[in-house]
């Protein structure tokens, strides 16, 4: 029997005012596991009222107090890891081992980083920039923040939102994706025992609920991780209220492979980095650009590496990756793969069967696509790698940069000079060398162009949740 979910507002779970609901489906088998409300304006008002009441008190806590709260939260996540894994698996179908290692474990580490970061914010030195007057800088929380998280990494993306916002002293109203709310609600329950009421509030709903949050007069900042389309809508709406916005959007990451790379090892790595989490990662390898002299050989290596992967098994522990998150996205991917142009070759994989159990897509490698083709230019968000060839560095850079996205990229070579030149020329917020996807809490994550603006992780993300105030004292008064 599926459960009926509730909002978390002012420190307690409450029924939503909105009468419409969403069925939460386990994408491994299409089974309904929960019913979620679509929160309306009254729910959003209640959440922001609670956050506003809590803002003054929480915003005046010391960094040490905020650090302790985040450390306690990290400890609580560790203690309730199994509950979080099960809640998320029901909504995403991700293999439990993956959620445990890549979200819960990493999320705990990131929370502990943000706990430390709470005590490191600083301004410029106080001094007399004008005779007889002393100036200094105050870093203050922006106040109340509206946050919207995606369905591909529900737990970890909530950590990336909540961690820096709380470290900086803000209060939050967060809306998880309409298809993956349950792990976020477990987090809210844990935070209810740690934080004062109203500091973190969770409202459930769809895109309309998110729009109500962005339009609401209370939040001073809106933070979204999602699609380019959603990002543009949020930016336009936030601009009307002169709200700060933080947008981490899509990607179309290239991996530039030179002939002097360790080709066999590189092929295996790129398939792993392109299919991890079923390719539902905006930093995932999607476009493989390989030097012409080894193109055909490398395509064969990619196909062999892809053939070694397993997905779609009833025993999810045997799967290298799980299903796509929902039927709508599954159908979109099927349609894109059905439109592969005649000049391209599907080397392995291709259009998944419809009507089977779960929304599984086989690892797919496609060669022969042209730069203006849909599968090169548009985000697929699936375990699909395209392969193009280049003749020299200039062409490699032109192909890599020749998309609207600018989130992530990688260079694969044994030549240090080549790597240094490419990291300078690639127009992406992150460039890896001989690896891909890996992230650490200390380094920023965020892109350029249609991939949005603002940084997650690192001290840069905490600073984004602050405002800078200049204070000047007249020394003679």
């Amino acid at each position: 029997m599926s459960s009926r979910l509730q909002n978390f507002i002012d420190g307690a779970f409450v029924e939503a005012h909105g009468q419409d609901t969403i069925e939460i489906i386990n994408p491994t088998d299409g089974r309904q596991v929960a019913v979620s409300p679509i929160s309306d304006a009254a729910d959003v008002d209640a959440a922001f009222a609670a956050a506003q009441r809590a803002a003054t008190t929480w915003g005046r806590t010391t960094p040490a107090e905020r650090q302790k709260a985040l450390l306690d939260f990290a400890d609580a996540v560790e203690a309730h890891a199994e509950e979080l894994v099960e809640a998320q698996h029901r909504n995403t179908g991700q293999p439990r081992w993956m959620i445990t290692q890549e979200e819960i474990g990493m999320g705990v580490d990131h929370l502990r980083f943000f706990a430390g970061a709470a005590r490191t914010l600083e301004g410029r030195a106080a001094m007399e920039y004008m005779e007889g007057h002393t100036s200094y800088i105050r870093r203050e929380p922006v106040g109340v923040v509206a946050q919207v998280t995606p369905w591909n990494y529900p737990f970890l993306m909530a950590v990336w939102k909540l961690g820096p916002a709380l470290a900086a002293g803000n209060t939050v109203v967060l809306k998880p994706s309409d298809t993956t709310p349950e792990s976020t609600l477990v987090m809210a329950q844990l935070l209810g025992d740690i934080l004062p009421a109203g500091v973190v509030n969770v409202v459930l709903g769809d895109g309309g609920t998110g729009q109500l949050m962005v339009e609401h007069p209370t939040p001073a900042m809106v933070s979204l991780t999602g699609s380019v389309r959603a990002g543009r809508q949020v930016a336009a709406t936030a601009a009307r209220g002169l709200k700060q916005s933080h947008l981490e959007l899509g990607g179309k990451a290239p991996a530039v492979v030179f002939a002097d790379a360790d080709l066999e090892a590189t092929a295996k790595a790129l398939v792993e980095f392109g299919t991890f989490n079923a390719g539902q990662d905006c930093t995932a390898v999607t476009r493989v650009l390989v030097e012409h002299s080894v193109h055909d050989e490398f395509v064969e290596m990619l196909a062999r590496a892809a053939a070694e992967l397993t997905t779609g098994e009833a025993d999810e522990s045997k799967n290298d990756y799980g299903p796509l998150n929902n039927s709508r996205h599954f159908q979109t991917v099927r349609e894109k793969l059905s439109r592969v142009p005649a000049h391209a070759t599907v080397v392995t994989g291709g259009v998944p069967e419809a009507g089977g159990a779960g929304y599984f897509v086989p690892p797919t490698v496609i060669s022969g696509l042209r730069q203006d083709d849909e599968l090169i230019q548009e985000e697929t968000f699936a375990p699909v790698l395209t392969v193009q060839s280049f003749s020299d560095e200039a062409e490699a850079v032109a192909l890599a940069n020749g998309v609207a996205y600018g989130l992530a990229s990688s260079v694969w070579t044994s030549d240090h000079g080549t790597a240094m030149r490419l990291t300078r020329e690639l127009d992406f917020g992150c460039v890896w060398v001989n690896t891909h996807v890996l992230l650490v809490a200390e380094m920023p994550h965020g892109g350029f162009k249609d991939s949005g603006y603002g940084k997650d992780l690192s001290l840069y993300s905490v600073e984004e949740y602050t405002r800078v105030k200049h204070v000047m004292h007249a020394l003679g008064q």
Side-chain angles (χ1 to χ4, degrees):
M1 182 177 179
S2 59
S3 58
R4 184 177 179 87
L5 307 180
Q6 296 178 308
N7 290 334
F8 184 82
I9 297 176
D10 209 15
F13 285 101
V14 295
E15 289 287 343
H17 291 87
Q19 297 301 303
D20 294 332
T21 59
I22 301 168
E23 294 182 352
I24 307 301
I25 303 298
N26 186 326
T28 62
D29 55 17
R31 178 174 50 89
Q32 179 181 310
V33 294
V35 176
S36 176
I38 299 178
S39 297
D40 64 12
D43 300 305
V44 172
D45 284 344
F48 278 120
Q52 186 71 69
R53 286 193 297 272
T56 301
T57 302
W58 179 251
R60 291 176 181 170
T61 55
T62 66
E65 290 172 304
R66 299 196 294 272
Q67 179 190 47
K68 184 179 185 308
L70 286 167
L71 290 175
D72 288 346
F73 184 26
D75 291 345
V77 167
E78 276 192 325
H80 293 83
E82 185 174 341
E83 181 183 359
L84 284 159
V85 169
E86 290 302 319
Q88 183 148 309
H89 174 72
R90 285 194 298 271
N91 295 179
T92 65
Q94 296 163 302
R96 290 177 176 84
W97 64 262
M98 198 210 87
I99 302 171
T100 301
Q101 295 176 21
E102 302 298 330
E103 292 207 49
I104 307 302
M106 188 178 294
V108 167
D109 175 71
H110 292 177
L111 285 171
R112 289 175 176 153
F113 168 81
F114 287 124
R119 301 182 74 161
T120 63
L121 289 173
E122 58 186 25
R124 294 181 183 274
M127 62 186 303
E128 290 68 50
Y129 297 95
M130 178 182 289
E131 185 177 355
H133 298 77
T134 297
S135 290
Y136 61 89
I137 295 296
R138 286 182 56 88
R139 273 205 178 269
E140 300 176 342
V142 297
V144 178
V145 180
Q147 299 182 325
V148 179
T149 54
W151 45 253
N152 57 334
Y153 296 107
F155 172 82
L156 190 60
M157 294 301 97
V159 167
W160 286 14
K161 299 293 185 201
L162 294 171
L166 295 175
N170 299 281
T171 59
V172 173
V173 176
L174 185 148
K175 189 192 85 67
S177 168
D178 55 354
T179 63
T180 58
E182 291 196 76
S183 61
T184 304
L185 292 176
V186 175
M187 295 172 71
Q189 185 173 26
L190 299 179
L191 283 168
D193 295 330
I194 297 168
L195 297 174
V199 174
V200 171
N201 308 273
V202 176
V203 293
L204 306 179
D206 58 7
T209 307
Q211 184 74 6
L212 289 171
M213 291 171 58
V214 180
E215 292 172 348
H216 201 279
T218 297
M221 179 178 177
V222 179
S223 178
L224 165 81
T225 297
S227 68
V228 175
R229 177 189 56 78
R232 288 195 174 109
Q233 291 176 344
V234 166
T237 304
R240 291 198 293 270
L242 295 179
K243 296 179 173 70
Q244 292 179 231
S245 55
H246 175 284
L247 306 174
E248 201 276 276
L249 309 177
K252 197 67 180 169
V256 183
V257 182
F258 287 87
D260 62 0
D262 182 337
L263 297 182
E264 194 72 50
T266 298
K268 289 181 179 295
L270 294 185
V271 168
E272 177 184 347
F273 294 138
T275 61
F276 185 79
N277 200 31
Q280 298 171 125
D281 187 321
C282 45
T283 64
V285 173
T286 61
R287 298 182 294 136
V288 179
L289 310 177
V290 59
E291 197 164 359
H292 179 74
S293 62
V294 295
H295 172 271
D296 293 350
E297 176 187 2
F298 197 70
V299 169
E300 293 177 2
M301 291 178 179
L302 290 171
R304 287 198 299 270
E308 295 175 358
L309 298 181
T310 300
T311 191
E313 296 293 327
D315 180 359
E316 47 90 13
S317 67
K318 296 180 180 179
N319 292 332
D320 292 291
Y321 63 86
L324 299 189
N325 178 256
N326 58 77
S327 61
R328 183 175 62 252
H329 181 48
F330 180 69
Q331 185 58 32
T332 298
V333 171
R334 290 189 78 252
E335 291 171 358
K336 286 185 177 181
L337 290 176
S338 71
R339 295 194 295 266
V340 173
H343 56 260
T345 301
V346 178
V347 182
T348 188
V351 182
E353 294 183 7
Y359 311 132
F360 293 92
V361 175
T364 298
V365 177
I366 304 173
S367 66
L369 288 164
R370 297 168 184 164
Q371 187 68 10
D372 59 353
D373 284 332
E374 174 186 35
L375 286 168
I376 298 296
Q377 292 296 324
E378 296 184 10
E379 188 171 36
T380 309
F381 226 53
V384 178
L385 285 80
T386 64
V387 190
Q388 298 169 274
S389 67
F390 64 85
S391 57
D392 55 27
E393 286 185 24
E395 185 179 16
V397 169
L399 291 172
N401 290 343
V403 295
Y405 300 94
L407 183 59
S409 59
S410 59
V411 182
W412 301 76
T413 178
S414 61
D415 185 87
H416 178 72
T418 299
M420 292 297 289
R421 288 190 298 274
L422 266 289
T423 56
R424 178 189 64 196
E425 298 299 329
L426 289 171
D427 192 18
F428 298 86
C430 181
V431 184
W432 288 281
V433 178
N434 295 329
T435 189
H436 199 102
V437 170
L438 305 181
L439 297 168
V440 293
E442 294 84 356
M443 290 290 110
H445 173 70
F448 311 141
K449 303 190 294 189
D450 277 8
S451 293
Y453 46 80
K455 298 299 181 184
D456 290 317
L457 299 176
S458 79
L459 288 175
Y460 294 103
S461 72
V462 181
E463 289 179 356
E464 293 209 9
Y465 286 94
T466 68
R467 63 185 188 182
V468 174
K469 178 186 288 184
H470 166 221
V471 180
M472 177 182 281
H473 285 257
L475 299 183
Q477 297 294 319

